[in-house]
Amino acid sequence: MEEEASATTRTLHLPEILEQILIHLPSRDLLLAQRISKAFQLTISASPKLQRALFFSPDPACPSSPITYLNPATGATSAHPRPQNNRLLLRAFPGVYPTVSPVLVNLPPTREDLALGRPGKEVWSWDVCISFPASPANKSPSDSSESSLPSTADPATAYPYASWRRMYLCQPPCTALHLVRRWRRSRLPAIERPGGITMGDFVDEATKGAVNGGVWSEGYVGSDRDWHFEGVVGEGTG
């Protein structure tokens, strides 16, 4: 029995073997596994594969479920991979959970399109949508003098080094979010990060009262007192 225990211990201290075991855990269990031992924590933090599974590192080619697109003009179908939602954020921010859904995107018209007087083609893409309370319940929507986390968030999320701050909203990461009001998307991004937007980026921008030099306006607050943001994930594919 002691020999078996010793063999198990030696195996779990081999980073390559431990990585292959941990990669099969659900994301929340993988995140909490860092508390088991220093060996587990070091293996998880040093493994690019496990860091991508925890949304700490970008994964441009993450496994995903496809969406089938029917081209009405040709009758042809094609499948496009679906980005992964970061379900770890659902527990930390139950009312501020980014969701990914399919959308049709109108591409700018080409020179040929303009010459023929037709619009740019429509392509399927994926859209990440996230909302954020404009202010605490006891403040008016226009008061942005203080930064605050959503009232629905777990108090533990207020820890300045909480792991959620480094997590991407989805995989592959979204690089730009546009403010949306009454189904109309702003032309310029409100939040933009070439390397991908993390939840920390989003919360900091949404609570500091100003983005890209402009102060939030009460007119942008929806009827549910939320800011609404949307951004395309990846490139559209026809």
Side-chain angles (χ1 to χ4, degrees), residues 67-85:
I67 177 175
T68 300
Y69 166 66
L70 173 64
N71 188 323
T74 64
T77 60
S78 56
H80 309 300
R82 175 181 184 133
Q84 292 183 349
N85 283 24

PDB file of all heavy atoms in Angstrom, residues 67-85:
ATOM      1  N   ILE A  67     -21.380  26.129 -36.240  1.00  0.00           N
ATOM      2  CA  ILE A  67     -22.678  26.620 -36.687  1.00  0.00           C
ATOM      3  C   ILE A  67     -22.736  26.378 -38.193  1.00  0.00           C
ATOM      4  O   ILE A  67     -21.747  26.577 -38.903  1.00  0.00           O
ATOM      5  CB  ILE A  67     -22.870  28.116 -36.388  1.00  0.00           C
ATOM      6  CG1 ILE A  67     -24.221  28.589 -36.933  1.00  0.00           C
ATOM      7  CG2 ILE A  67     -21.749  28.955 -36.949  1.00  0.00           C
ATOM      8  CD1 ILE A  67     -24.553  30.030 -36.584  1.00  0.00           C
ATOM      9  N   THR A  68     -23.870  25.895 -38.683  1.00  0.00           N
ATOM     10  CA  THR A  68     -24.005  25.637 -40.107  1.00  0.00           C
ATOM     11  C   THR A  68     -24.678  26.836 -40.766  1.00  0.00           C
ATOM     12  O   THR A  68     -25.754  27.265 -40.351  1.00  0.00           O
ATOM     13  CB  THR A  68     -24.834  24.366 -40.361  1.00  0.00           C
ATOM     14  OG1 THR A  68     -24.167  23.262 -39.747  1.00  0.00           O
ATOM     15  CG2 THR A  68     -24.974  24.105 -41.854  1.00  0.00           C
ATOM     16  N   TYR A  69     -24.039  27.364 -41.785  1.00  0.00           N
ATOM     17  CA  TYR A  69     -24.541  28.535 -42.493  1.00  0.00           C
ATOM     18  C   TYR A  69     -25.032  28.128 -43.875  1.00  0.00           C
ATOM     19  O   TYR A  69     -24.323  27.459 -44.627  1.00  0.00           O
ATOM     20  CB  TYR A  69     -23.436  29.589 -42.617  1.00  0.00           C
ATOM     21  CG  TYR A  69     -23.742  30.681 -43.613  1.00  0.00           C
ATOM     22  CD1 TYR A  69     -24.795  31.565 -43.390  1.00  0.00           C
ATOM     23  CD2 TYR A  69     -22.985  30.842 -44.766  1.00  0.00           C
ATOM     24  CE1 TYR A  69     -25.083  32.569 -44.293  1.00  0.00           C
ATOM     25  CE2 TYR A  69     -23.257  31.851 -45.676  1.00  0.00           C
ATOM     26  CZ  TYR A  69     -24.315  32.717 -45.429  1.00  0.00           C
ATOM     27  OH  TYR A  69     -24.593  33.711 -46.329  1.00  0.00           O
ATOM     28  N   LEU A  70     -26.247  28.492 -44.198  1.00  0.00           N
ATOM     29  CA  LEU A  70     -26.816  28.234 -45.518  1.00  0.00           C
ATOM     30  C   LEU A  70     -26.734  29.503 -46.352  1.00  0.00           C
ATOM     31  O   LEU A  70     -27.282  30.536 -45.972  1.00  0.00           O
ATOM     32  CB  LEU A  70     -28.279  27.786 -45.407  1.00  0.00           C
ATOM     33  CG  LEU A  70     -29.043  27.650 -46.730  1.00  0.00           C
ATOM     34  CD1 LEU A  70     -28.432  26.556 -47.597  1.00  0.00           C
ATOM     35  CD2 LEU A  70     -30.520  27.365 -46.459  1.00  0.00           C
ATOM     36  N   ASN A  71     -26.017  29.436 -47.453  1.00  0.00           N
ATOM     37  CA  ASN A  71     -25.915  30.568 -48.363  1.00  0.00           C
ATOM     38  C   ASN A  71     -27.140  30.559 -49.277  1.00  0.00           C
ATOM     39  O   ASN A  71     -27.283  29.679 -50.121  1.00  0.00           O
ATOM     40  CB  ASN A  71     -24.632  30.461 -49.209  1.00  0.00           C
ATOM     41  CG  ASN A  71     -24.396  31.709 -50.035  1.00  0.00           C
ATOM     42  OD1 ASN A  71     -25.327  32.322 -50.535  1.00  0.00           O
ATOM     43  ND2 ASN A  71     -23.129  32.070 -50.184  1.00  0.00           N
ATOM     44  N   PRO A  72     -28.064  31.530 -49.106  1.00  0.00           N
ATOM     45  CA  PRO A  72     -29.302  31.514 -49.899  1.00  0.00           C
ATOM     46  C   PRO A  72     -29.054  31.608 -51.399  1.00  0.00           C
ATOM     47  O   PRO A  72     -29.824  31.094 -52.200  1.00  0.00           O
ATOM     48  CB  PRO A  72     -30.069  32.742 -49.393  1.00  0.00           C
ATOM     49  CG  PRO A  72     -29.414  33.133 -48.121  1.00  0.00           C
ATOM     50  CD  PRO A  72     -28.006  32.682 -48.209  1.00  0.00           C
ATOM     51  N   ALA A  73     -27.957  32.267 -51.784  1.00  0.00           N
ATOM     52  CA  ALA A  73     -27.696  32.468 -53.217  1.00  0.00           C
ATOM     53  C   ALA A  73     -27.260  31.181 -53.902  1.00  0.00           C
ATOM     54  O   ALA A  73     -27.643  30.898 -55.032  1.00  0.00           O
ATOM     55  CB  ALA A  73     -26.630  33.545 -53.398  1.00  0.00           C
ATOM     56  N   THR A  74     -26.451  30.373 -53.201  1.00  0.00           N
ATOM     57  CA  THR A  74     -25.902  29.169 -53.821  1.00  0.00           C
ATOM     58  C   THR A  74     -26.501  27.878 -53.283  1.00  0.00           C
ATOM     59  O   THR A  74     -26.362  26.825 -53.902  1.00  0.00           O
ATOM     60  CB  THR A  74     -24.378  29.125 -53.622  1.00  0.00           C
ATOM     61  OG1 THR A  74     -24.098  29.014 -52.217  1.00  0.00           O
ATOM     62  CG2 THR A  74     -23.724  30.380 -54.165  1.00  0.00           C
ATOM     63  N   GLY A  75     -27.135  27.941 -52.126  1.00  0.00           N
ATOM     64  CA  GLY A  75     -27.665  26.736 -51.503  1.00  0.00           C
ATOM     65  C   GLY A  75     -26.605  25.922 -50.795  1.00  0.00           C
ATOM     66  O   GLY A  75     -26.890  24.855 -50.245  1.00  0.00           O
ATOM     67  N   ALA A  76     -25.360  26.426 -50.786  1.00  0.00           N
ATOM     68  CA  ALA A  76     -24.264  25.693 -50.151  1.00  0.00           C
ATOM     69  C   ALA A  76     -24.272  25.939 -48.640  1.00  0.00           C
ATOM     70  O   ALA A  76     -24.727  26.978 -48.165  1.00  0.00           O
ATOM     71  CB  ALA A  76     -22.928  26.139 -50.744  1.00  0.00           C
ATOM     72  N   THR A  77     -23.785  24.978 -47.889  1.00  0.00           N
ATOM     73  CA  THR A  77     -23.672  25.124 -46.437  1.00  0.00           C
ATOM     74  C   THR A  77     -22.203  25.035 -46.038  1.00  0.00           C
ATOM     75  O   THR A  77     -21.391  24.396 -46.702  1.00  0.00           O
ATOM     76  CB  THR A  77     -24.459  24.025 -45.698  1.00  0.00           C
ATOM     77  OG1 THR A  77     -23.947  22.743 -46.075  1.00  0.00           O
ATOM     78  CG2 THR A  77     -25.935  24.099 -46.023  1.00  0.00           C
ATOM     79  N   SER A  78     -21.880  25.706 -44.951  1.00  0.00           N
ATOM     80  CA  SER A  78     -20.527  25.630 -44.415  1.00  0.00           C
ATOM     81  C   SER A  78     -20.610  25.766 -42.903  1.00  0.00           C
ATOM     82  O   SER A  78     -21.533  26.381 -42.374  1.00  0.00           O
ATOM     83  CB  SER A  78     -19.645  26.738 -44.997  1.00  0.00           C
ATOM     84  OG  SER A  78     -20.217  28.009 -44.758  1.00  0.00           O
ATOM     85  N   ALA A  79     -19.655  25.148 -42.212  1.00  0.00           N
ATOM     86  CA  ALA A  79     -19.667  25.153 -40.746  1.00  0.00           C
ATOM     87  C   ALA A  79     -18.574  26.069 -40.220  1.00  0.00           C
ATOM     88  O   ALA A  79     -17.456  26.077 -40.731  1.00  0.00           O
ATOM     89  CB  ALA A  79     -19.472  23.742 -40.208  1.00  0.00           C
ATOM     90  N   HIS A  80     -18.906  26.842 -39.191  1.00  0.00           N
ATOM     91  CA  HIS A  80     -17.949  27.765 -38.595  1.00  0.00           C
ATOM     92  C   HIS A  80     -17.866  27.479 -37.094  1.00  0.00           C
ATOM     93  O   HIS A  80     -18.896  27.303 -36.442  1.00  0.00           O
ATOM     94  CB  HIS A  80     -18.372  29.217 -38.820  1.00  0.00           C
ATOM     95  CG  HIS A  80     -18.686  29.506 -40.256  1.00  0.00           C
ATOM     96  ND1 HIS A  80     -17.759  29.363 -41.255  1.00  0.00           N
ATOM     97  CD2 HIS A  80     -19.832  29.896 -40.864  1.00  0.00           C
ATOM     98  CE1 HIS A  80     -18.321  29.664 -42.416  1.00  0.00           C
ATOM     99  NE2 HIS A  80     -19.575  29.983 -42.200  1.00  0.00           N
ATOM    100  N   PRO A  81     -16.663  27.425 -36.531  1.00  0.00           N
ATOM    101  CA  PRO A  81     -16.523  27.078 -35.112  1.00  0.00           C
ATOM    102  C   PRO A  81     -17.076  28.154 -34.189  1.00  0.00           C
ATOM    103  O   PRO A  81     -16.960  29.338 -34.460  1.00  0.00           O
ATOM    104  CB  PRO A  81     -15.009  26.919 -34.926  1.00  0.00           C
ATOM    105  CG  PRO A  81     -14.416  27.739 -36.012  1.00  0.00           C
ATOM    106  CD  PRO A  81     -15.371  27.658 -37.174  1.00  0.00           C
ATOM    107  N   ARG A  82     -17.666  27.724 -33.103  1.00  0.00           N
ATOM    108  CA  ARG A  82     -18.238  28.650 -32.122  1.00  0.00           C
ATOM    109  C   ARG A  82     -17.223  28.938 -31.021  1.00  0.00           C
ATOM    110  O   ARG A  82     -16.652  28.011 -30.437  1.00  0.00           O
ATOM    111  CB  ARG A  82     -19.487  28.046 -31.504  1.00  0.00           C
ATOM    112  CG  ARG A  82     -20.070  28.918 -30.388  1.00  0.00           C
ATOM    113  CD  ARG A  82     -21.297  28.298 -29.759  1.00  0.00           C
ATOM    114  NE  ARG A  82     -21.873  29.205 -28.777  1.00  0.00           N
ATOM    115  CZ  ARG A  82     -23.152  29.503 -28.698  1.00  0.00           C
ATOM    116  NH1 ARG A  82     -24.006  28.985 -29.557  1.00  0.00           N
ATOM    117  NH2 ARG A  82     -23.598  30.320 -27.765  1.00  0.00           N
ATOM    118  N   PRO A  83     -16.976  30.197 -30.712  1.00  0.00           N
ATOM    119  CA  PRO A  83     -16.091  30.525 -29.579  1.00  0.00           C
ATOM    120  C   PRO A  83     -16.661  29.969 -28.276  1.00  0.00           C
ATOM    121  O   PRO A  83     -17.863  29.722 -28.156  1.00  0.00           O
ATOM    122  CB  PRO A  83     -16.080  32.052 -29.571  1.00  0.00           C
ATOM    123  CG  PRO A  83     -16.479  32.439 -30.958  1.00  0.00           C
ATOM    124  CD  PRO A  83     -17.437  31.383 -31.412  1.00  0.00           C
ATOM    125  N   GLN A  84     -15.802  29.810 -27.298  1.00  0.00           N
ATOM    126  CA  GLN A  84     -16.216  29.271 -26.010  1.00  0.00           C
ATOM    127  C   GLN A  84     -16.538  30.390 -25.032  1.00  0.00           C
ATOM    128  O   GLN A  84     -15.764  31.340 -24.885  1.00  0.00           O
ATOM    129  CB  GLN A  84     -15.115  28.384 -25.427  1.00  0.00           C
ATOM    130  CG  GLN A  84     -14.881  27.099 -26.187  1.00  0.00           C
ATOM    131  CD  GLN A  84     -13.827  26.231 -25.534  1.00  0.00           C
ATOM    132  OE1 GLN A  84     -13.130  26.667 -24.620  1.00  0.00           O
ATOM    133  NE2 GLN A  84     -13.699  25.015 -26.008  1.00  0.00           N
ATOM    134  N   ASN A  85     -17.678  30.285 -24.361  1.00  0.00           N
ATOM    135  CA  ASN A  85     -18.001  31.201 -23.274  1.00  0.00           C
ATOM    136  C   ASN A  85     -17.098  30.925 -22.083  1.00  0.00           C
ATOM    137  O   ASN A  85     -16.749  29.770 -21.826  1.00  0.00           O
ATOM    138  CB  ASN A  85     -19.450  31.010 -22.826  1.00  0.00           C
ATOM    139  CG  ASN A  85     -20.442  31.623 -23.763  1.00  0.00           C
ATOM    140  OD1 ASN A  85     -20.157  31.818 -24.934  1.00  0.00           O
ATOM    141  ND2 ASN A  85     -21.619  31.917 -23.259  1.00  0.00           N
TER     142      ASN A  85
END
